[in-house]
Amino acid sequence: MWQGDCILIEDGSSAMLIDAGNPENGPDIVSYIKKLGINRLDFVIATHPHADHIGGMADVINAFDIGKLIMPKVEHTTRTFENLLLTIRNKGLKITAPVPGTEYRLGNTSFTILAPNSSSYKNLNDYSVVVRLTYGSTSFLFTGDAEQTSEKEILAKGYNIKSDVLKVGHHGSKTSTTTRFLDAVSPRYAVMCVGANNQYGHPAPETLSKLAERGIKVYRTDEAGTIIATSDGKSISFNKQPSPVNTSTNTGSTTVSDTKNNQNDTRDDITVYITKTGSKYHREGCSSLRTSSIPISLSEAKQRGYEPCKICKPPQ
Ligand SMILES: [Zn+2]
Ligand SMILES: [Zn+2]
């Protein structure tokens, strides 16, 4: 049921973590990173104080040597957040506020902070630290839960946001991934952190169809589990298969929807017959139609709950 963001970036002996899922994910995240032989995280970014992003962060901070910790300047009155602040203080760590336009190096990779661009927002999600990371000629955009307000500000600043991979904002909700933003990013691949059967209805069908229309390959954690993207500096490969494209929402492939409509039309053209009192529908001339015979389209008969007659076996 849970959903959360947790992104580990590795470049040789350098590593960075963006978010740490929910509180109950902390131990798993720590052991996953340790198994990779990583003891130090050069950068840790807590995009914003929601529990599905900073939940396991206290465990991470306790378990690893931490370089720079980047967090937006915003408070949140939850135990999870207060516990994180306490952990940071106990470890003697300093918090670095994200300053848009700042570039950092991580091994041969570099990343630039693109948001937040305002000091106060109505919506906690818009405080999300957004970073664009480049390695060779490949690029990745990580948006946390940034929503349309932040997307608009990023566009207004004129940053280069064109990226091969987009970590879709706010778990694919329709309040993020505005058309203008998506077209400016123009990704080939989209990764969504979504919980299976999450109570928020993420991702939104609107977001999925926007991605499908543009032929963007979508990788979802609810379907694929842990997704690993590997860049050789020229191209990017994934450890999992992309999500199958749902053609019913894919308005980009008009031929598919046209065929479907035609099929519906032909089904509608089929006329069957019902009687005044019966619960079955029939072919023309069926012996059951002696007392009454009312023409009706096949689709309407089915819609109204009529069943095919067992004697004349009409089309279904
Ligand atoms: Zn979230
Ligand atoms: Zn959030």
PDB file of all heavy atoms in Angstrom, residues 13-35:
ATOM      1  N   SER A  13      33.280   5.354  -7.149  1.00  0.00           N
ATOM      2  CA  SER A  13      33.237   5.260  -5.700  1.00  0.00           C
ATOM      3  C   SER A  13      32.392   6.374  -5.074  1.00  0.00           C
ATOM      4  O   SER A  13      32.331   6.489  -3.859  1.00  0.00           O
ATOM      5  CB  SER A  13      34.654   5.302  -5.143  1.00  0.00           C
ATOM      6  OG  SER A  13      35.263   6.513  -5.564  1.00  0.00           O
ATOM      7  N   SER A  14      31.759   7.198  -5.902  1.00  0.00           N
ATOM      8  CA  SER A  14      30.908   8.262  -5.366  1.00  0.00           C
ATOM      9  C   SER A  14      29.451   7.839  -5.371  1.00  0.00           C
ATOM     10  O   SER A  14      29.022   7.080  -6.241  1.00  0.00           O
ATOM     11  CB  SER A  14      31.044   9.531  -6.205  1.00  0.00           C
ATOM     12  OG  SER A  14      32.396   9.870  -6.349  1.00  0.00           O
ATOM     13  N   ALA A  15      28.700   8.323  -4.391  1.00  0.00           N
ATOM     14  CA  ALA A  15      27.289   7.954  -4.320  1.00  0.00           C
ATOM     15  C   ALA A  15      26.454   9.091  -3.751  1.00  0.00           C
ATOM     16  O   ALA A  15      26.939   9.912  -2.961  1.00  0.00           O
ATOM     17  CB  ALA A  15      27.116   6.708  -3.469  1.00  0.00           C
ATOM     18  N   MET A  16      25.225   9.114  -4.172  1.00  0.00           N
ATOM     19  CA  MET A  16      24.293  10.139  -3.714  1.00  0.00           C
ATOM     20  C   MET A  16      22.923   9.493  -3.537  1.00  0.00           C
ATOM     21  O   MET A  16      22.554   8.584  -4.279  1.00  0.00           O
ATOM     22  CB  MET A  16      24.248  11.241  -4.769  1.00  0.00           C
ATOM     23  CG  MET A  16      22.972  12.022  -4.868  1.00  0.00           C
ATOM     24  SD  MET A  16      23.365  13.624  -5.656  1.00  0.00           S
ATOM     25  CE  MET A  16      22.108  13.714  -6.867  1.00  0.00           C
ATOM     26  N   LEU A  17      22.194   9.965  -2.532  1.00  0.00           N
ATOM     27  CA  LEU A  17      20.852   9.433  -2.302  1.00  0.00           C
ATOM     28  C   LEU A  17      19.845  10.575  -2.377  1.00  0.00           C
ATOM     29  O   LEU A  17      20.046  11.624  -1.758  1.00  0.00           O
ATOM     30  CB  LEU A  17      20.769   8.767  -0.928  1.00  0.00           C
ATOM     31  CG  LEU A  17      19.456   8.005  -0.669  1.00  0.00           C
ATOM     32  CD1 LEU A  17      19.458   6.671  -1.402  1.00  0.00           C
ATOM     33  CD2 LEU A  17      19.227   7.785   0.827  1.00  0.00           C
ATOM     34  N   ILE A  18      18.786  10.382  -3.148  1.00  0.00           N
ATOM     35  CA  ILE A  18      17.698  11.352  -3.176  1.00  0.00           C
ATOM     36  C   ILE A  18      16.489  10.679  -2.537  1.00  0.00           C
ATOM     37  O   ILE A  18      15.956   9.707  -3.074  1.00  0.00           O
ATOM     38  CB  ILE A  18      17.348  11.792  -4.621  1.00  0.00           C
ATOM     39  CG1 ILE A  18      18.583  12.378  -5.319  1.00  0.00           C
ATOM     40  CG2 ILE A  18      16.207  12.807  -4.609  1.00  0.00           C
ATOM     41  CD1 ILE A  18      18.352  12.749  -6.780  1.00  0.00           C
ATOM     42  N   ASP A  19      16.108  11.130  -1.369  1.00  0.00           N
ATOM     43  CA  ASP A  19      14.967  10.624  -0.603  1.00  0.00           C
ATOM     44  C   ASP A  19      15.195   9.196  -0.080  1.00  0.00           C
ATOM     45  O   ASP A  19      16.065   8.464  -0.558  1.00  0.00           O
ATOM     46  CB  ASP A  19      13.662  10.705  -1.406  1.00  0.00           C
ATOM     47  CG  ASP A  19      13.196  12.160  -1.567  1.00  0.00           C
ATOM     48  OD1 ASP A  19      13.587  12.990  -0.732  1.00  0.00           O
ATOM     49  OD2 ASP A  19      12.432  12.435  -2.509  1.00  0.00           O
ATOM     50  N   ALA A  20      14.384   8.853   0.916  1.00  0.00           N
ATOM     51  CA  ALA A  20      14.589   7.550   1.582  1.00  0.00           C
ATOM     52  C   ALA A  20      13.270   6.889   1.975  1.00  0.00           C
ATOM     53  O   ALA A  20      13.143   6.294   3.043  1.00  0.00           O
ATOM     54  CB  ALA A  20      15.493   7.731   2.799  1.00  0.00           C
ATOM     55  N   GLY A  21      12.283   6.989   1.080  1.00  0.00           N
ATOM     56  CA  GLY A  21      11.038   6.253   1.275  1.00  0.00           C
ATOM     57  C   GLY A  21      10.323   6.546   2.585  1.00  0.00           C
ATOM     58  O   GLY A  21      10.502   7.610   3.186  1.00  0.00           O
ATOM     59  N   ASN A  22       9.532   5.591   3.019  1.00  0.00           N
ATOM     60  CA  ASN A  22       8.739   5.701   4.250  1.00  0.00           C
ATOM     61  C   ASN A  22       9.534   5.218   5.461  1.00  0.00           C
ATOM     62  O   ASN A  22      10.515   4.488   5.302  1.00  0.00           O
ATOM     63  CB  ASN A  22       7.477   4.848   4.107  1.00  0.00           C
ATOM     64  CG  ASN A  22       6.464   5.495   3.190  1.00  0.00           C
ATOM     65  OD1 ASN A  22       5.748   6.395   3.588  1.00  0.00           O
ATOM     66  ND2 ASN A  22       6.417   5.051   1.944  1.00  0.00           N
ATOM     67  N   PRO A  23       9.065   5.568   6.676  1.00  0.00           N
ATOM     68  CA  PRO A  23       9.807   5.151   7.868  1.00  0.00           C
ATOM     69  C   PRO A  23      10.105   3.650   7.901  1.00  0.00           C
ATOM     70  O   PRO A  23      11.224   3.249   8.225  1.00  0.00           O
ATOM     71  CB  PRO A  23       8.873   5.557   9.014  1.00  0.00           C
ATOM     72  CG  PRO A  23       8.097   6.709   8.472  1.00  0.00           C
ATOM     73  CD  PRO A  23       7.915   6.431   7.012  1.00  0.00           C
ATOM     74  N   GLU A  24       9.142   2.820   7.519  1.00  0.00           N
ATOM     75  CA  GLU A  24       9.366   1.367   7.609  1.00  0.00           C
ATOM     76  C   GLU A  24      10.349   0.853   6.552  1.00  0.00           C
ATOM     77  O   GLU A  24      10.797  -0.291   6.608  1.00  0.00           O
ATOM     78  CB  GLU A  24       8.030   0.601   7.532  1.00  0.00           C
ATOM     79  CG  GLU A  24       7.260   0.755   6.238  1.00  0.00           C
ATOM     80  CD  GLU A  24       6.268   1.919   6.265  1.00  0.00           C
ATOM     81  OE1 GLU A  24       6.534   2.928   6.958  1.00  0.00           O
ATOM     82  OE2 GLU A  24       5.226   1.822   5.596  1.00  0.00           O
ATOM     83  N   ASN A  25      10.681   1.700   5.564  1.00  0.00           N
ATOM     84  CA  ASN A  25      11.633   1.280   4.529  1.00  0.00           C
ATOM     85  C   ASN A  25      13.084   1.516   4.920  1.00  0.00           C
ATOM     86  O   ASN A  25      13.991   1.025   4.247  1.00  0.00           O
ATOM     87  CB  ASN A  25      11.376   2.042   3.213  1.00  0.00           C
ATOM     88  CG  ASN A  25       9.943   1.955   2.754  1.00  0.00           C
ATOM     89  OD1 ASN A  25       9.310   2.955   2.429  1.00  0.00           O
ATOM     90  ND2 ASN A  25       9.398   0.745   2.752  1.00  0.00           N
ATOM     91  N   GLY A  26      13.297   2.292   6.000  1.00  0.00           N
ATOM     92  CA  GLY A  26      14.653   2.665   6.413  1.00  0.00           C
ATOM     93  C   GLY A  26      15.638   1.505   6.453  1.00  0.00           C
ATOM     94  O   GLY A  26      16.666   1.529   5.754  1.00  0.00           O
ATOM     95  N   PRO A  27      15.346   0.450   7.242  1.00  0.00           N
ATOM     96  CA  PRO A  27      16.297  -0.671   7.343  1.00  0.00           C
ATOM     97  C   PRO A  27      16.612  -1.340   5.999  1.00  0.00           C
ATOM     98  O   PRO A  27      17.766  -1.684   5.727  1.00  0.00           O
ATOM     99  CB  PRO A  27      15.579  -1.652   8.286  1.00  0.00           C
ATOM    100  CG  PRO A  27      14.658  -0.788   9.101  1.00  0.00           C
ATOM    101  CD  PRO A  27      14.213   0.308   8.176  1.00  0.00           C
ATOM    102  N   ASP A  28      15.596  -1.485   5.130  1.00  0.00           N
ATOM    103  CA  ASP A  28      15.826  -2.109   3.817  1.00  0.00           C
ATOM    104  C   ASP A  28      16.719  -1.236   2.940  1.00  0.00           C
ATOM    105  O   ASP A  28      17.568  -1.751   2.200  1.00  0.00           O
ATOM    106  CB  ASP A  28      14.495  -2.337   3.085  1.00  0.00           C
ATOM    107  CG  ASP A  28      13.720  -3.497   3.681  1.00  0.00           C
ATOM    108  OD1 ASP A  28      14.328  -4.289   4.431  1.00  0.00           O
ATOM    109  OD2 ASP A  28      12.508  -3.604   3.408  1.00  0.00           O
ATOM    110  N   ILE A  29      16.483   0.062   3.015  1.00  0.00           N
ATOM    111  CA  ILE A  29      17.288   0.996   2.211  1.00  0.00           C
ATOM    112  C   ILE A  29      18.744   0.939   2.661  1.00  0.00           C
ATOM    113  O   ILE A  29      19.655   0.827   1.842  1.00  0.00           O
ATOM    114  CB  ILE A  29      16.717   2.439   2.320  1.00  0.00           C
ATOM    115  CG1 ILE A  29      15.340   2.517   1.625  1.00  0.00           C
ATOM    116  CG2 ILE A  29      17.681   3.460   1.707  1.00  0.00           C
ATOM    117  CD1 ILE A  29      14.557   3.781   1.910  1.00  0.00           C
ATOM    118  N   VAL A  30      18.943   0.960   3.980  1.00  0.00           N
ATOM    119  CA  VAL A  30      20.305   0.890   4.528  1.00  0.00           C
ATOM    120  C   VAL A  30      20.997  -0.398   4.085  1.00  0.00           C
ATOM    121  O   VAL A  30      22.132  -0.371   3.598  1.00  0.00           O
ATOM    122  CB  VAL A  30      20.281   1.011   6.073  1.00  0.00           C
ATOM    123  CG1 VAL A  30      21.642   0.659   6.664  1.00  0.00           C
ATOM    124  CG2 VAL A  30      19.858   2.431   6.480  1.00  0.00           C
ATOM    125  N   SER A  31      20.303  -1.534   4.178  1.00  0.00           N
ATOM    126  CA  SER A  31      20.983  -2.785   3.828  1.00  0.00           C
ATOM    127  C   SER A  31      21.212  -2.901   2.323  1.00  0.00           C
ATOM    128  O   SER A  31      22.217  -3.450   1.885  1.00  0.00           O
ATOM    129  CB  SER A  31      20.255  -3.996   4.407  1.00  0.00           C
ATOM    130  OG  SER A  31      19.107  -4.281   3.665  1.00  0.00           O
ATOM    131  N   TYR A  32      20.314  -2.344   1.530  1.00  0.00           N
ATOM    132  CA  TYR A  32      20.508  -2.334   0.069  1.00  0.00           C
ATOM    133  C   TYR A  32      21.789  -1.579  -0.284  1.00  0.00           C
ATOM    134  O   TYR A  32      22.610  -2.050  -1.069  1.00  0.00           O
ATOM    135  CB  TYR A  32      19.295  -1.678  -0.611  1.00  0.00           C
ATOM    136  CG  TYR A  32      19.369  -1.643  -2.128  1.00  0.00           C
ATOM    137  CD1 TYR A  32      18.839  -2.675  -2.901  1.00  0.00           C
ATOM    138  CD2 TYR A  32      19.972  -0.569  -2.795  1.00  0.00           C
ATOM    139  CE1 TYR A  32      18.908  -2.641  -4.288  1.00  0.00           C
ATOM    140  CE2 TYR A  32      20.052  -0.529  -4.177  1.00  0.00           C
ATOM    141  CZ  TYR A  32      19.511  -1.562  -4.921  1.00  0.00           C
ATOM    142  OH  TYR A  32      19.578  -1.533  -6.301  1.00  0.00           O
ATOM    143  N   ILE A  33      21.958  -0.405   0.326  1.00  0.00           N
ATOM    144  CA  ILE A  33      23.129   0.426   0.017  1.00  0.00           C
ATOM    145  C   ILE A  33      24.415  -0.232   0.542  1.00  0.00           C
ATOM    146  O   ILE A  33      25.441  -0.254  -0.139  1.00  0.00           O
ATOM    147  CB  ILE A  33      22.962   1.858   0.595  1.00  0.00           C
ATOM    148  CG1 ILE A  33      21.716   2.533  -0.018  1.00  0.00           C
ATOM    149  CG2 ILE A  33      24.198   2.712   0.321  1.00  0.00           C
ATOM    150  CD1 ILE A  33      21.340   3.866   0.609  1.00  0.00           C
ATOM    151  N   LYS A  34      24.329  -0.817   1.728  1.00  0.00           N
ATOM    152  CA  LYS A  34      25.515  -1.472   2.316  1.00  0.00           C
ATOM    153  C   LYS A  34      25.970  -2.656   1.475  1.00  0.00           C
ATOM    154  O   LYS A  34      27.162  -2.885   1.289  1.00  0.00           O
ATOM    155  CB  LYS A  34      25.217  -1.917   3.751  1.00  0.00           C
ATOM    156  CG  LYS A  34      25.299  -0.749   4.716  1.00  0.00           C
ATOM    157  CD  LYS A  34      25.500  -1.197   6.150  1.00  0.00           C
ATOM    158  CE  LYS A  34      25.900  -0.007   7.020  1.00  0.00           C
ATOM    159  NZ  LYS A  34      25.518  -0.200   8.431  1.00  0.00           N
ATOM    160  N   LYS A  35      24.988  -3.401   0.955  1.00  0.00           N
ATOM    161  CA  LYS A  35      25.323  -4.565   0.122  1.00  0.00           C
ATOM    162  C   LYS A  35      26.085  -4.167  -1.128  1.00  0.00           C
ATOM    163  O   LYS A  35      26.786  -4.980  -1.733  1.00  0.00           O
ATOM    164  CB  LYS A  35      24.046  -5.316  -0.268  1.00  0.00           C
ATOM    165  CG  LYS A  35      23.677  -6.390   0.735  1.00  0.00           C
ATOM    166  CD  LYS A  35      22.498  -7.201   0.265  1.00  0.00           C
ATOM    167  CE  LYS A  35      21.798  -7.839   1.440  1.00  0.00           C
ATOM    168  NZ  LYS A  35      20.340  -7.933   1.233  1.00  0.00           N
TER     169      LYS A  35
END
